[in-house]
Amino acid sequence: MSPSSDPLQDRFRGCLLGLAIGDALGGKFEAQSADGIRARFPSVEALIAYPQDEIWYTDDTQMAIGVAETLVEHGAIIEDQLCKAFVANYVPSRGYGRGARAVLEAMEEGRDYRQVAEQYFPGGSYGNGAAMRVAPVGLLFRDDRAALQEQARLSALPTHLHPLGIEGAQLLALGVALCSQSKPFDRAAFLRELVAACTSDAYRTRLELASRLEKVDDLGQLGNRIEALDSVPTAIASFALTPESFASTIANVIFLGGDTDTLAAMAGALSGAYLGASGLAQRLVNLIETSPKGRTYLIELADRLLTVYRERHAIKQPHQ
Ligand code: F2R
Ligand code: MG
Ligand code: MG
């Protein structure tokens, strides 16, 4: 990849590549214990140095690709088009949530997927599957708060109808939008904006706790689980504690164990949107899989999303 001289292009690319790296590196440790990971990797540097061969992403990146493709093709989330993109990208061996798998297979077979989702989790899923894939929404609607909230909600609906699943996606999308705009980083302002955007006490309480955290050793207080409430605030807090280090941001959530791919995918998307592709761990960028929808495709997809963003705003000149 030749480095971009366009700061916004660098951030769009950084967001998708950061997501894929966090997902792929975290995927090597999914469901492992914090103690087990720490015993093998005593430092951030040791963890980041671990992969020697291609790193393969999981459902997190695969579904984010579906969201980005839908936005590129249609300029907004259109539910049946989003479902088509999810189905076209669906490879079960990448490791999907069990409810998500049932819903995607219903979509694939033309069955009533909303009914399947409701049967699986009455009241809807509050898993982190909507948040893990929402980053492209945060990029495209980075300067339109109302559209961002609505588009994030629409991107969640086919699989995640529970309010906590939807709100997790809205908060992560807002986090990406803020990260793509700010430099230098103002931690208090960043978390204040996110707290103000909360619609539930549950997320507000977690993000207020995130704003009081002073060290990465305390991140575990926010959770490491597959539920959106137990992972979205954690990823946001990790980025906010180490905004200038992509490696630390993803490693510190992987050290928590549990849902490591998704924690690191979300944290990586935030960090990448802030630092840009040029601020990522370059060794890891170079190790992202070279499959048809691997590293090169992710960069092209980010560039196409930026084109849609610029057309939407009729912005002719590159800007921050
Ligand atoms: N699921 C995985 N990884 C396990 C892969 C196992 C194995 N390698 C394989 O190949 O199969 N990872 C991915 O799933 C998470 C995202 O899940 P998503 O899309 O939200 O799925 P789902 O099924 O809707 O929810 C996940 C779990 O959350 C709990 N849950 C959700 N809503 C619930 C409700 N209303 N009541 C009770 N529980 C609810 C359930 O435990 C769901 O299984 C990411 O980690 C992604 O990486
Ligand atoms: Mg995954
Ligand atoms: Mg996961």
Side-chain angles (χ1 to χ4, degrees), residues 39-288:
R40 290 174 62 200
F41 303 102
S43 66
V44 168
E45 292 71 25
L47 184 69
I48 296 297
Y50 167 59
Q52 298 298 320
D53 303 316
E54 272 196 348
I55 50 173
W56 286 71
Y57 57 70
T58 79
D59 59 328
D60 305 48
T61 306
Q62 208 163 42
M63 294 195 86
I65 287 173
V67 171
E69 289 172 342
T70 305
L71 294 174
V72 165
E73 289 298 316
H74 305 285
I77 299 294
I78 297 170
E79 181 158 332
D80 61 338
Q81 299 299 328
L82 180 64
C83 295
K84 276 188 193 158
F86 286 158
V87 168
N89 285 295
Y90 182 52
V91 179
S93 59
R94 296 265 185 183
Y96 282 72
R98 57 193 170 98
R101 214 163 44 225
V103 174
L104 289 170
E105 281 163 14
M107 286 174 190
E108 196 168 30
E109 291 159 18
R111 288 183 282 120
D112 183 347
Y113 59 86
R114 285 281 185 104
Q115 192 187 33
V116 172
E118 178 63 22
Q119 275 167 356
Y120 220 93
F121 295 123
S125 169
Y126 47 69
N128 53 21
M132 74 188 184
R133 67 185 187 227
V134 80
V137 172
L139 292 176
L140 186 57
F141 300 99
R142 61 196 283 274
D143 51 9
D144 184 341
R145 193 68 68 87
L148 179 142
Q149 293 293 316
E150 178 59 4
Q151 293 291 313
R153 188 182 76 84
L154 292 174
S155 76
L157 290 186
T159 51
H160 292 72
L161 265 177
H162 194 285
L164 291 178
I166 294 170
E167 189 174 354
Q170 290 173 318
L171 289 169
L172 208 280
L174 177 57
V176 166
L178 296 173
C179 285
S180 78
Q181 283 161 348
S182 66
K183 203 140 201 180
F185 182 67
D186 180 339
R187 178 167 181 250
F190 174 70
L191 287 162
R192 211 169 34 242
E193 286 230 40
L194 287 165
V195 168
C198 290
T199 49
S200 71
D201 285 342
Y203 277 105
R204 194 172 302 112
T205 303
R206 295 287 171 105
L207 287 173
E208 282 169 353
L209 174 57
S211 59
R212 291 194 300 273
L213 289 192
E214 288 178 0
K215 44 188 200 309
V216 293
D217 292 346
D218 295 334
L219 276 173
Q221 294 176 25
L222 292 168
N224 68 347
R225 290 157 47 102
I226 201 167
E227 290 80 5
L229 182 62
D230 290 322
S231 50
V232 172
T234 318
I236 289 170
S238 183
F239 164 69
L241 282 169
T242 56
E244 303 305 329
S245 169
F246 174 77
S248 297
T249 294
I250 62 167
N252 286 328
V253 287
I254 293 173
F255 285 141
L256 300 175
D259 195 1
T260 47
D261 64 326
T262 304
L263 289 162
M266 296 188 293
L270 294 166
S271 182
Y274 175 66
L275 293 171
S278 54
L280 304 183
Q282 283 310 309
R283 207 180 68 81
L284 295 181
V285 173
N286 295 336
L287 287 181
I288 297 174

